[in-house]
Amino acid sequence: MYSRQSLHIALLLLSDAFAWGYRGSPEPEAAVLVRVSNFLVFALNDVILFF
């Protein structure tokens, strides 16, 4: 239980770091990475809350 929760938190923080790092970049790939990272942050918050 504890290791799964730690893994989810680590993925959440990593996704947040990617979204923050690529924010404002003009490349098209950066826009996709920001959207995917923000979705992962959204989804992992629910995973951490309910599981």
Side-chain angles (χ1 to χ4, degrees), residues 4-46:
R4 282 181 58 193
Q5 187 176 16
S6 296
L7 178 64
H8 289 142
I9 292 171
L11 287 174
L12 173 77
L13 292 173
L14 184 65
S15 297
D16 195 34
F18 272 118
W20 185 81
Y22 283 102
R23 181 183 46 138
S25 287
E27 296 92 22
E29 298 86 16
V32 172
L33 279 171
V34 168
R35 287 189 176 110
V36 169
S37 297
N38 282 333
F39 175 75
L40 285 174
V41 169
F42 170 76
L44 287 171
N45 273 322
D46 288 340

